Amino acid sequence: MTDMTEQNRTTTPGLGKEAPDTPATARRTTRRGGGDPATRGRTTIADGVVEKIAGLAARDVVGVHALGSGLSRTFGAVRDRVPGGSKSVTRGVKAEVGEVQTALDLEIVVDYGVSISDVARAVRENVVAAVERMAGLEVVEVNIAVSDVKLPEEEDEEPEPRIQ
């Protein structure tokens, strides 16, 4: 019969001697999946995610009254009144998302009296900063179409709800 200690021994390479099967000698295997754990796998970001980030960032700019064309805002106002419906933060925002880059198209309504070029510049800066920070994507372009100017005497298309 073979001695149990002989069964639990391995040959140490280069020495030709037997060494006990200790945890130190048993761990001589190479690590699998080497490299930085953050580089293992792929992250994909949906167009809608980038559209939400951009929509919220654009709305934060002073002088932006709303996003979207008059027709989309009207449909959105009706949809918002439906019980269980929520405000669409992606209204007026279209994103094309690649693996590392994104391009955005925004349609905005500005308040009367503000400088449209200043508002557009501020929207671009805010959108680029938010998308690059949150999504980690390079924003290659932000195209802005000003579709309307909100006059002070115009009634909002999205009135306050009667019941609070």
Side-chain angles (χ1 to χ4, degrees), residues 39-62:
T39 62
R40 298 180 200 171
R42 211 170 103 194
T43 302
T44 57
I45 300 173
D47 293 2
V49 172
V50 174
E51 289 170 355
K52 282 184 180 183
I53 294 168
L56 291 170
R59 283 176 174 79
D60 283 345
V61 175
V62 175

Side-chain angles (χ1 to χ4, degrees), residues 26-41:
R27 287 190 195 136
R28 289 188 182 172
T29 58
T30 57
R31 282 184 29 199
R32 294 183 185 195
D36 182 20
T39 62
R40 298 180 200 171

Side-chain angles (χ1 to χ4, degrees), residues 134-161:
M134 292 182 69
L137 296 168
E138 177 190 1
V139 179
V140 293
E141 65 182 9
V142 178
N143 299 312
I144 298 174
V146 178
S147 62
D148 202 359
V149 174
K150 168 67 171 73
L151 300 175
E153 65 272 0
E154 285 181 340
E155 193 175 307
D156 273 342
E157 293 175 6
E158 300 176 23
E160 290 291 318

Side-chain angles (χ1 to χ4, degrees), residues 67-144:
L67 269 68
S69 66
L71 185 61
S72 71
R73 289 193 330 267
T74 301
F75 283 132
V78 171
R79 188 176 349 133
D80 293 345
R81 289 188 199 134
V82 173
S86 61
K87 275 195 160 188
S88 174
V89 294
T90 61
R91 185 182 316 144
V93 182
K94 177 68 179 140
E96 292 181 31
V97 180
E99 288 185 28
V100 294
Q101 295 179 326
T102 186
L104 295 152
D105 295 321
L106 283 81
E107 189 171 359
I108 66 172
V109 177
V110 297
D111 291 321
Y112 177 78
V114 299
S115 167
I116 293 174
S117 60
D118 289 347
V119 170
R121 181 173 40 261
V123 167
R124 276 191 187 90
E125 290 172 357
N126 211 28
V127 167
V128 168
V131 170
E132 288 184 348
R133 179 179 51 84
M134 292 182 69
L137 296 168
E138 177 190 1
V139 179
V140 293
E141 65 182 9
V142 178
N143 299 312
I144 298 174

